[in-house]
Structure formats: structure tokens, C-alpha cells
Amino acid sequence: MSTSKLASLPTIKRLPSYLHIVEAAEREGKKFISGTIIADELGLEPIQVRKDLAVTGIVGKPRIGFPVDELIQAINSFLQWDIETPAVIVGAGHLGTALMGYVEFPKHGLNIRAAFDVDERKIGTTVNQTAVYSIDRMPKIIRDLGVKLAILTVPNAYAQDVADDLIDAGITAIWNFTNMKLKVPDHVIVQKEDLSSGYAVLSVRAREISTDRSRNDATTSQESSPKSRRVRA
Amino acid sequence: MSTSKLASLPTIKRLPSYLHIVEAAEREGKKFISGTIIADELGLEPIQVRKDLAVTGIVGKPRIGFPVDELIQAINSFLQWDIETPAVIVGAGHLGTALMGYVEFPKHGLNIRAAFDVDERKIGTTVNQTAVYSIDRMPKIIRDLGVKLAILTVPNAYAQDVADDLIDAGITAIWNFTNMKLKVPDHVIVQKEDLSSGYAVLSVRAREISTDRSRNDATTSQESSPKSRRVRA
DNA sequence: TAGATTGTTAATCGATTAACAATC
DNA sequence: TAGATTGTTAATCGATTAACAATC
């Protein structure tokens, strides 16, 4: 805190991948890691990694790199991943269940405290240590737990109605896995996760490959490769 | 085809959301839709929508907008969503199962022909119309089906080994839902889907809200809002 | 010490936005 | 017709990359 740096959206999105690399280094017992190493690992430019890491306030040592433990802390602190964030999940279908079992989330402070569903067969059960309640009990439970974040994995058709109920119950942040653009008041933030846009990129890149098999400039690209990201139709 | 326009990655990622709006308009019986309407619906700038749509080669009518049916075709054609793409899925866990049941995929030409898993209880069953086979049979089945695209939803620890096997079997595109950066030869494309980066953005935006409740410039933001996307730490 | 790496300032590149003539 | 919208060219904005002095 206090450092007050500015971070672009692309930078924020890259930070978790840096964290992943640095944590692997920590497990290997490394005390320092350079931006060059991180960049190599991810196929990025070292200068980009340095610039990105700068937003966390981390200070490195020339010639040596960044102290691993401090860097982990700095990224986690910047992302607010060093504090517990209680959450609920609405819709205990396969996607919801997958998210309840996603082992990375607890590491990022994300704690799913309850799940809600309309399916009588699921209500009362426990999925991945998370109890599933009737959606009727949602407002009261959210209020009682004081949860502010909801993960939305209901069918599209119910998304807006459920969102409205969530907001009424005090939710101020919705992680939206449906395909609906939600209408919410100004004080509520919605983060939309869109599988289709990922598939769109894959589709276009696949065509690019099969279309012009000429200039294959050795890009072991993972959507992250720098330079020439444009694509010919 | 033939139009040969250039498209940036951000543009490609936005196209599916335009398609969604335009298809809704079609269901309502609309014959034309303007970029302004689409922009309003998504909270984007009209000029951005027009610029994005231009890459598909669509031609609109001043004062009227774009012909709905042609626009749908143009976007689908640009994304290669008008042709069938057979695929296999490796890892029939909850995430894999969720993807097998994702109704949008068939609409985008994505056809999951087979699933593979190591779990004896799943092998031989059918999940959402998709047969689950032993992973031992993977190479032969992929070759027999002539599938080029694989969706990877195995535990992180197996990701690289499975990817290697997939590539040996002739797979040239991997939609990677694991957290591993895969090492693949040049002719293989990997599209990585990263939930953590989405959560990173959500976390930072949530802090922004709770930190400075001063300048709340009425951004019903859905991660897409233009202007001032930067964030103070 | 020599040299790799940091961190900062400047340059470049690319995406978004603005302006506006053409037009249905 | 009048005027909203397209499509193109130019301007702006912001993110990436380059350059380089500082330094461990």
C-alpha cells in the first residue's frame, strides 16, 4: 500500500502469471528471480515484466533480480489476494461445481462460503466442502455472512433476476459467468467472463495458420506473444 | 472471405458480443441494426463498433444500419464459426463436463466428438451426448476422427504430458484451461483461458471502489467501459 | 572489477476516438 | 427533404518497447 502506482488492465491480467512463475521459483528454494527469467518463461519481453512489476511497488536489485518472497507478497498485496474475500456462488451446476473445487481460489483469498441452487436434489448437499442451499434462502444467508461478492453461474435466462436479488441482498461485486450483460446500479461492479471471446481468438488464429503457411516466424504463441498480433482475414 | 481485412485481438474478442446482440435483434424480427444500437447495448462507443464490424467486410446502409442477416453471416464467417470444427475434450471433470454441455459451442460450429478421462467410473458413460473413453484410446480415436482441436481440462500436473500426446496424435490447436504454460512446437497453437487473470481484474476493481468512494463517474462498467480503465493502487 | 539487471525517461507502435464527407 | 448513420481519413491516447544511466 501507499505506493499508489497506476496499472493498466493488460498489466493487471499479466500479474497472476508472474505470480505463478515466482511461486514455482520459491518452491525450488530460489531467493531471487530476475525479470528476464520470468519473461523467458512466459515468452514476454523483459522490459514489459519489469514495467508490470513496478506497479506493485517491488524494488529489485540490479544484477540479482527481485527478492522472491517480497515479490510474491507485493503481487498478492497489489491484487488484494493477501486478504480473505468471502463469496457465494449461485448455480451449483457443473461450472459452479468446477469453480467450487478450483484449488487456486483459496490461495488468492477467495473463499466460497455457500452455494445456491433451485434443484431439490442438490439442496442440502455439500459440494467440495461448500453447502448448497435453496435459492430462497439466499438473501438472508448473504446478509448474515456479510458477503459482498457473488459468482454467477446460473442459466442465462435467470441471470438478470438473480443479479437483482443479489444486489438487493447487499452484493456489490458479481463475477458473471453467464452470457448476459447485466444491468446493475453504479455501486456494483460486474466482471464478465466470456468463453466465446476466447474461442473467437482461437478460431481466427487457427484459420491464420491453415491459410498462410508461409511466414511462420517461430511464434510459440500462447496468446501472449508480442509483436504482430494482428491477423489477416 | 476475400476481403482480407486486419483485425486486432481486442476487436476479435468483441465480435462475439456483437453477434449476441445482433442475433437477439434477429429473433425480434429486426431486419436492420445500427452500430449505435449495438454500442448502447454494450456500453461501447459507436465508432468502435463500426470499426470492429468493418473487419468482417460487412457493408451498412447510412441512416439505416447493417442488414441483420448479412451481419450475422459476416461475423460468423470471419470467426470461422460457419464451418464445423470437430474437437475432443481431455479431462471429463466438472469443468470438462460444463464445457460439454455449453449450448453456445454447437452454435459456433464447435462439435465435441469425444471425451477422454482416466477415471474408470466415467469411461464408457455418456456426458451431455458425448462419449467418454479411456485416455489410452485417445491417440487412435483422434486420428480416426481426424480431429485437430483439443480442449484441455486435466489437472495441471498432467497438462504437459497430455499435450505432448495430443500433438503426437495430430492435434494442432489446444484450448488450454489448465494453469500450465504449455511447450509446443511451432505448428501448434495454444489458446490459454485464465480464470485467475479475470479474478485479478475483479479484485483490483473491487479495491478501487471501496478505496476511493469519491469520483464515482457513473460507470456501469462491465470490464468493457471505455476511458479511464487505469486503476490506482 | 566486469557485466547483468534494475528503474526511469524517451520513442515507437497500435488501438481508440474524433471529424466529416457521402448517402440512404 | 432533413438528418441519422456509414465509412474513411486524421488526431489522440495509451501501452509497449527502446535506450541508458545507476548499481549491486
Side-chain angles (χ1 to χ4, degrees):
Chain A
M1 61 185 93
S2 77
T3 342
S4 193
K5 288 264 173 54
L6 288 170
S8 69
L9 226 42
T11 293
I12 296 170
K13 286 183 177 172
R14 281 189 294 265
L15 287 176
S17 63
Y18 301 159
L19 183 59
H20 207 246
I21 306 285
V22 180
E23 285 174 336
E26 187 191 41
R27 282 193 297 274
E28 289 169 20
K30 304 258 174 61
K31 295 299 176 209
F32 286 86
I33 188 167
S34 75
T36 314
I37 299 284
I38 297 174
D40 276 357
E41 207 81 38
L42 294 167
L44 301 175
E45 297 297 321
I47 173 63
Q48 184 168 58
V49 174
R50 272 180 281 152
K51 259 282 167 70
D52 285 345
L53 292 182
V55 305
T56 68
I58 188 73
V59 176
K61 287 198 207 309
R63 175 78 240 253
I64 313 278
F66 301 91
V68 165
D69 52 352
E70 279 179 41
L71 183 50
I72 291 173
Q73 245 197 343
I75 297 174
N76 276 324
S77 165
F78 180 85
L79 296 176
Q80 302 256 84
W81 285 2
D82 56 347
I83 58 173
E84 286 287 295
T85 302
V88 296
I89 195 158
V90 194
H94 286 294
L95 181 55
T97 304
L99 296 178
M100 285 185 244
Y102 196 56
V103 292
E104 305 291 317
F105 289 163
K107 295 182 196 167
H108 302 153
L110 178 58
N111 247 276
I112 300 171
R113 295 284 165 80
F116 302 101
D117 205 294
V118 292
D119 187 339
E120 294 292 342
R121 289 165 300 180
K122 289 173 189 161
I123 295 167
T125 67
T126 295
V127 177
N128 282 315
Q129 273 97 26
T130 307
V132 181
Y133 301 98
S134 164
I135 204 158
D136 300 331
R137 300 177 60 192
M138 191 174 76
K140 176 157 169 44
I141 293 176
I142 286 176
R143 264 185 266 262
D144 287 352
L145 293 173
V147 171
K148 296 299 173 196
L149 169 63
I151 303 172
L152 194 60
T153 54
V154 300
N156 288 331
Y158 306 104
Q160 184 64 59
D161 285 349
V162 170
D164 293 344
D165 291 345
L166 286 168
I167 294 162
D168 281 346
I171 289 292
T172 55
I174 298 175
W175 199 5
N176 179 16
F177 284 84
T178 78
N179 270 323
M180 305 307 287
K181 155 95 179 174
L182 302 174
K183 289 178 190 65
V184 300
D186 289 354
H187 72 282
V188 175
I189 61 175
V190 178
Q191 176 70 21
K192 191 160 178 279
E193 223 55 53
D194 187 1
L195 287 183
S196 292
S197 73
Y199 186 59
V201 175
L202 179 63
S203 302
V204 173
R205 286 177 56 208
R207 172 185 53 193
E208 187 186 17
I209 295 279
S210 57
T211 303
D212 55 54
R213 52 191 66 239
S214 43
R215 42 155 169 71
N216 255 349
D217 43 303
T219 322
T220 312
S221 83
Q222 204 116 341
E223 140 91 42
S224 53
S225 60
K227 281 285 172 62
S228 74
R229 281 205 283 251
R230 290 175 153 265
V231 133
R232 189 170 295 277
Chain B
M1 64 185 92
S2 78
T3 343
S4 193
K5 288 264 172 54
L6 289 170
S8 69
L9 225 43
T11 293
I12 296 170
K13 286 184 177 172
R14 281 188 295 265
L15 287 177
S17 64
Y18 301 159
L19 183 60
H20 207 246
I21 306 286
V22 181
E23 284 174 337
E26 188 192 40
R27 282 193 296 274
E28 289 169 19
K30 304 259 174 62
K31 295 301 176 206
F32 287 86
I33 188 168
S34 74
T36 314
I37 299 284
I38 298 174
D40 276 357
E41 206 82 39
L42 295 167
L44 301 174
E45 297 297 321
I47 173 63
Q48 183 168 58
V49 174
R50 274 182 279 151
K51 259 282 168 69
D52 285 345
L53 292 181
V55 305
T56 68
I58 188 74
V59 176
K61 286 200 209 307
R63 177 76 241 252
I64 313 276
F66 302 92
V68 165
D69 52 352
E70 280 179 41
L71 183 50
I72 291 173
Q73 245 196 344
I75 297 174
N76 276 324
S77 165
F78 180 86
L79 297 176
Q80 303 255 83
W81 285 2
D82 56 347
I83 58 173
E84 286 287 295
T85 302
V88 296
I89 196 159
V90 194
H94 286 293
L95 180 56
T97 303
L99 296 178
M100 284 185 246
Y102 196 57
V103 292
E104 306 290 318
F105 290 163
K107 296 182 195 166
H108 302 154
L110 177 58
N111 246 277
I112 300 171
R113 296 283 166 81
F116 302 100
D117 206 293
V118 292
D119 187 339
E120 295 292 341
R121 288 164 301 180
K122 290 174 188 161
I123 295 167
T125 67
T126 296
V127 177
N128 282 315
Q129 274 96 24
T130 307
V132 181
Y133 301 98
S134 164
I135 204 158
D136 300 332
R137 300 177 59 191
M138 191 174 76
K140 176 156 169 44
I141 292 174
I142 286 177
R143 264 185 266 261
D144 288 352
L145 293 172
V147 172
K148 297 299 173 196
L149 168 62
I151 303 171
L152 194 60
T153 54
V154 300
N156 288 332
Y158 305 104
Q160 185 63 60
D161 285 348
V162 171
D164 293 344
D165 291 344
L166 286 167
I167 294 161
D168 281 347
I171 289 293
T172 56
I174 298 175
W175 200 4
N176 179 17
F177 285 83
T178 77
N179 271 323
M180 306 306 288
K181 156 95 179 174
L182 301 174
K183 289 178 189 66
V184 301
D186 289 354
H187 72 283
V188 176
I189 61 175
V190 177
Q191 175 71 21
K192 191 159 178 279
E193 223 56 54
D194 187 2
L195 287 184
S196 293
S197 72
Y199 186 59
V201 175
L202 179 63
S203 302
V204 173
R205 286 177 56 209
R207 171 185 54 193
E208 187 186 17
I209 294 279
S210 58
T211 303
D212 54 56
R213 51 192 66 236
S214 44
R215 43 154 169 74
N216 254 348
D217 43 300
T219 321
T220 310
S221 82
Q222 203 116 340
E223 138 90 46
S224 53
S225 59
K227 281 287 173 58
S228 74
R229 281 205 283 254
R230 288 171 157 270
V231 133
R232 188 170 297 278

